[in-house]
Amino acid sequence: MSADTAAAPLAALAAERVDHRFKGLPPDAAGLSVGELTAQRRNLFTDGFTTPVLALSAERLAHNLGLMETYATRHGLAFAPHGKTSMAPQLFWQQIEHGAWGITLAVPHQVRVAREFGIDRIFLANELVDPAALGWIAAELAADPDFEFVCYVDSVRGVELMDAALRGSVRPVDVVVELAAGAGARTGARTEEECAAVADAVAATGTLRLAGVAGYEGEVPDANPERVHAWLRRLTALAADFDDAGRFKDVGTIVVSAGGSAWFDAVADVFAEIPELSLPVLKLLRSGAYVSHDDGHYRRLTPFTRVPREGALHPAFRLWSQVVSRPSPEQAFTNAGKRDAAHDLDLPLAQAVRRGGTERPAAGIEVSGLSDQHAWLRTAPEADLEVGDWVGMGLSHPCTSFDKWQLIPLVEADGTVVDYIRTFF
């Protein structure tokens, strides 16, 4: 995988013109290319950016990329971070430059974006039965011998639909049987017997090739370390059973994959126990939220909290909005709401206040609710807050932070904007 293949489309991102499509950018930058605006190295707080504006910390992003590269290497894991978290090709390539095997995605549109930007190893962590999408995948595989693609299967019916759509294709599509995380969980075959039936159906086709097994431990019901470890051992045992039965005879490497962003320490533990199989094993971790981390959901659940010696991820997002109303001593409103802030898991956290070039902690300030375009702030007596102040908020769940912003300033600690991250949702 070479960044040379991505050079032209990434250059096209830098040539894109700044205009009304991009929230928070300086109005006087309209008409500049993104590259020209980047070269100006404007300051987020003093050079014309408007609120609300989402900022991604350059230093924290670099730290998180390096930490997960070290983690995967230390534990003997290949890494295909889930790109649906950011849908930012610039970040895809930064992750690959930090040792990622490839990129994980969830739906065909995301695969098309990744292919447009030169990604040639893609793990689709989802079932794929749409004939138009399968036809496009088959054409990509036929046109590019270096393109590696793997996706889930979890039913005989799904295999039949894939086979019908792919007949006449030049290369088989590699698939992994998805083992569900438990009764009532999300996708995946519920039992090992059902997994075997799906594998048999794959073997009966000429269009699919069984490459391994996979699943998502984040869906384990009432997840705790014991339950997650137990499910992961079911997954690795399934791989060993399939291997004993000779189901992987047509591949060069057996894929065993799991790993959301909450339990990848358990994945590392159990994948280290995989016995020697008849072929090399690609132990593929897929955690993606680490790239920006967050100030809520994943900060509470991160494996680095459970195993501090491994290091610590740093929340890299901060949403800046401005106080536009202070109707009472107990209440204030800023101009960022559901259209701007992730809110599906936790409300934003008020972290900092800026006034007159000075930044201080947001003491006595709590985000109590979100309207479409307002944050409701509850203010204690010690809160020093005025109309016009900027309030910096930490966000929970990066997957629903990136999707609200098409062009995100990458900001150094002193406020200097050193790049702009383009997203495609």
Side-chain angles (χ1 to χ4, degrees):
M1 189 177 297
S2 169
D4 292 342
T5 59
L10 290 174
L13 292 183
E16 193 168 14
R17 294 293 165 183
V18 175
D19 59 23
H20 60 278
R21 292 170 295 167
F22 305 124
K23 299 191 292 186
L25 300 192
D28 67 354
L32 295 176
S33 71
V34 173
E36 289 167 343
L37 181 57
T38 301
Q40 292 182 357
R41 294 178 64 84
R42 295 199 185 194
N43 187 280
L44 186 75
F45 305 110
T46 61
D47 288 332
F49 290 83
T50 64
T51 57
V53 60
L54 181 66
L56 182 63
S57 164
E59 295 88 352
R60 291 183 169 211
L61 172 65
H63 167 82
N64 292 345
L65 289 167
L67 183 65
M68 282 301 289
E69 178 182 16
T70 300
Y71 184 90
T73 300
R74 181 186 302 131
H75 291 281
L77 299 168
F79 189 32
H82 217 315
K84 60 92 177 174
T85 300
S86 69
M87 282 309 297
Q90 293 147 286
L91 298 184
F92 293 173
W93 277 103
Q94 288 190 42
Q95 290 169 307
I96 288 167
E97 289 162 4
H98 280 81
W101 170 89
I103 298 295
T104 296
L105 297 163
V107 293
H109 158 71
Q110 296 169 358
V111 178
R112 291 185 64 193
V113 172
R115 290 295 290 158
E116 183 68 22
F117 287 87
I119 305 299
D120 58 17
R121 281 181 176 161
I122 293 173
F123 187 101
L124 186 72
N126 205 348
E127 283 67 28
L128 178 59
V129 296
D130 181 275
L134 286 163
W136 179 81
I137 292 290
E140 289 289 295
L141 289 167
D144 184 357
D146 293 325
F147 179 32
E148 299 179 41
F149 176 83
V150 183
C151 71
Y152 282 179
V153 289
D154 75 349
S155 69
V156 172
R157 172 64 173 162
V159 170
E160 292 170 348
L161 290 171
M162 294 183 76
D163 181 48
L166 291 167
R167 283 179 193 160
S169 56
V170 174
R171 291 171 57 189
V173 171
D174 285 342
V175 296
V176 289
V177 175
E178 184 191 7
L179 175 67
R186 204 162 60 186
T187 56
R190 265 38 185 175
T191 67
E192 283 76 0
E193 292 75 19
E194 291 175 7
C195 288
V198 174
D200 288 339
V202 170
T205 73
T207 58
L208 304 176
R209 182 172 66 171
L210 185 65
V213 299
Y216 173 47
E217 76 291 340
E219 285 289 315
V220 169
D222 301 316
N224 62 29
E226 293 73 24
R227 292 189 180 98
V228 171
H229 279 77
W231 178 82
L232 285 163
R233 291 191 175 102
R234 284 183 60 199
L235 181 69
T236 57
L238 181 66
D241 289 346
F242 277 11
D243 187 48
D244 287 343
R247 296 185 184 278
F248 299 128
K249 61 182 182 299
D250 295 328
V251 296
T253 301
I254 299 169
V255 178
V256 182
S257 180
S261 295
W263 295 101
F264 56 79
D265 53 336
V267 175
D269 290 345
V270 176
F271 280 15
E273 302 169 356
I274 295 175
E276 184 174 349
L277 303 182
S278 64
L279 294 166
V281 177
L282 184 71
K283 302 174 183 179
L284 194 62
L285 183 69
R286 306 193 307 270
S287 312
Y290 83 96
V291 68
S292 64
H293 197 41
D294 74 356
D295 278 295
H297 179 71
Y298 287 116
R299 192 170 194 176
R300 293 191 298 271
L301 292 173
T302 175
F304 292 117
T305 300
R306 291 189 292 270
V307 192
R309 67 178 181 274
E310 297 275 17
L313 293 169
H314 295 165
F317 271 139
R318 181 166 282 180
L319 176 65
W320 289 97
S321 63
Q322 196 166 24
V323 179
V324 294
S325 179
R326 187 81 159 98
S328 75
E330 297 81 27
Q331 199 173 36
F333 294 86
T334 77
N335 61 348
K338 294 178 181 178
R339 301 290 181 261
D340 314 295
H343 57 89
D344 58 321
L345 296 180
D346 300 287
L347 289 172
L349 297 173
Q351 295 177 326
V353 175
R354 290 187 66 91
R355 182 190 302 161
T358 300
E359 185 173 318
R360 53 185 167 77
I365 302 171
E366 177 187 2
V367 179
S368 59
L370 293 175
S371 298
D372 284 352
Q373 211 62 67
H374 290 96
W376 296 56
L377 305 186
R378 183 182 297 120
T379 53
E382 68 269 23
D384 177 13
L385 197 63
E386 297 177 353
V387 170
D389 290 348
W390 283 36
V391 178
M393 303 175 187
L395 302 175
S396 180
H397 203 192
C399 298
T400 54
S401 297
F402 279 102
D403 69 355
K404 299 179 186 302
W405 297 83
Q406 293 184 47
L407 199 61
I408 302 171
L410 184 66
V411 184
E412 292 183 338
D414 66 356
T416 301
V417 180
V418 295
D419 203 354
Y420 295 83
I421 304 301
R422 185 71 158 92
T423 66
F424 292 86
F425 281 94

